[in-house]
Amino acid sequence: MFEALTPQPADAIIALMQACQADTNPDKIDLGVGVYKDATGATTILKAVKQAEQLWWNEEDTKTYVSTTGNAEFCRLMLDLMLGADNPALTRIAASQAAGGSGALRLGAELIKAASPNATIWASTPTWANHIPLISSAGLKMDSYPYYNRETLGVDFEDMLAHLEANAKAGDIVLLHGCCHNPTGADLSHDEWGRLADLLVAQNLTPFVDLAYFGLGRSMDDDTYGLRKLTQICPEVIIAASCSKNFALYRERVGLIAVVCKDADTAAIAKSQFGAIQRKIISMPPDHGAALVVRILSDETLRQLWMEELSEMRDRMRDLRRKLSEALNVQGGETMSAAVVNQNGMFSTLPLSPMQAIKLREEYSIYMTNSGRINIAGTNNENIPRLATAILSVL
Ligand code: LMR
């Protein structure tokens, strides 16, 4: 029967990661997959994670199953971290641990499918390349709203609002990046989050917030501002969060799905749905990474250490943004220079065509997606001048 299968194209981001790994040029620059790298190019395990792992090795006394919604303490600590422990929305929220941010998105999509199968999910143009296959494979219809202007390299906020107002129907879902927009790094201002929340309520639209990079943008408070604002204004909010980047737990697959409901009774039903959906797909999420997050967030010393390491990653990326911005601030590079320094998190999308991105790869061993997305953490003090020269030369 398997001869009926058709070959599938490799995922563009994963294929880029593998192509870069295979490149033997010692001067290659890896700006591809969204993974943090230190100044030596290494993606190390955080000290807080290592210490938590040592403590946990001594404390863990069973490997028996946890539950279909995973580690409840992990869910509680993560919600407190993202929403604030005094957030009134916590009284009407359902949450489940998920297998990474992608597992969380999938559980969210399945819950929408169960609750409102005809809803359309509106995604930004552009959005993370896997959002569309991941969410639409749950059987949901997707559409797009304008977001990033590839000429100004900023958010077309008025167009975004006008488009949603004119085209989204009551009951639809709007997929948003809570911070550090992937792939552009262009985020909404505080004022824009408030205006967006008002529109969502007026049009009876539900926000679905993907919070994959929180803590790596401007600050923990700033990176969760938009989500908190939505929970103050919108009666219902869907949240998919990841610990891949901020805890550097990538392969451990640590994520969380949560829905703020209109009341606590509905939240209890939504939670039972999460358990039932997860049971049908993977039965239960993996525990190890979530147990480490619990260990870190519930221990003052480890939490402090983690916050310091998070600031270090964030500050390094801001510093690299400043340096790349300076290097691009020459004739022809002014718009990129201004954008790169103001954008947030790991990514910026440069105004390069696929041909130009391919040329950078083939002629300079500089790896970025064909959309022109760069991972700023892949740069360093030594390679920034060469990178800027190469970008300007292909433009
Ligand atoms: C990325 O956007 O590069 C990351 O989120 C990794 C991935 O799985 O695509």
Side-chain angles (χ1 to χ4, degrees), residues 11 13-14 17 32-35 102 128-130 182-183 212-213 244-245 250 253 346-347 369 373 375:
D11 176 89
I13 294 175
I14 307 301
M17 180 175 89
V33 69
V35 165
S102 297
W128 177 45
N130 204 26
N182 179 3
Y213 291 80
S244 293
K245 326 283 172 167
Y250 309 91
R253 312 310 298 139
M346 275 188 205
F347 305 118
T369 65
R373 183 188 86 166
N375 173 3

Side-chain angles (χ1 to χ4, degrees), residues 61 72 179 332:
D61 53 9
C179 64

Side-chain angles (χ1 to χ4, degrees), residues 38-112:
D38 66 16
T40 70
T43 303
T44 55
I45 301 172
L46 298 188
K47 292 191 198 77
V49 167
K50 270 287 186 205
Q51 290 185 19
E53 223 152 22
Q54 274 163 357
L55 292 166
W56 190 234
W57 190 85
N58 282 319
E59 285 164 13
E60 191 180 34
D61 53 9
T62 180
K63 293 281 187 194
T64 190
Y65 296 121
V66 181
S67 89
T68 54
T69 52
N71 186 322
E73 188 61 359
F74 165 80
C75 297
R76 189 186 69 75
L77 289 162
M78 283 289 287
L79 291 174
D80 284 1
L81 179 70
M82 295 185 298
L83 300 178
D86 55 355
N87 191 320
L90 291 174
T91 58
R92 51 187 173 90
I93 201 162
S96 169
Q97 193 200 321
S102 297
L105 287 163
R106 182 59 188 242
L107 287 181
E110 295 286 351
L111 190 79
I112 296 166

Side-chain angles (χ1 to χ4, degrees), residues 223-262:
D223 293 354
T224 53
Y225 177 89
L227 174 65
R228 291 179 191 213
K229 188 82 189 167
L230 294 173
T231 63
Q232 283 159 16
I233 297 181
C234 302
E236 296 178 321
V237 182
I238 311 165
I239 307 159
S242 169
C243 298
S244 293
K245 326 283 172 167
N246 48 14
F247 285 85
L249 278 168
Y250 309 91
R251 65 174 64 166
E252 297 291 355
R253 312 310 298 139
V254 191
L256 175 111
I257 178 72
V259 280
V260 177
C261 300
K262 287 186 181 146

Side-chain angles (χ1 to χ4, degrees), residues 328-377:
L328 288 170
N329 195 11
V330 294
Q331 203 189 350
E334 299 89 342
T335 311
M336 283 189 293
S337 164
V340 160
V341 75
N342 286 320
Q343 291 168 344
N344 299 317
M346 275 188 205
F347 305 118
S348 282
T349 291
L350 305 179
L352 297 168
S353 66
M355 290 298 290
Q356 289 165 330
I358 291 166
K359 188 164 179 192
L360 284 168
R361 194 146 70 232
E362 289 177 352
E363 293 181 17
Y364 300 84
S365 287
I366 294 174
Y367 288 78
M368 64 179 70
T369 65
N370 286 354
S371 64
R373 183 188 86 166
I374 59 166
N375 173 3
I376 196 79

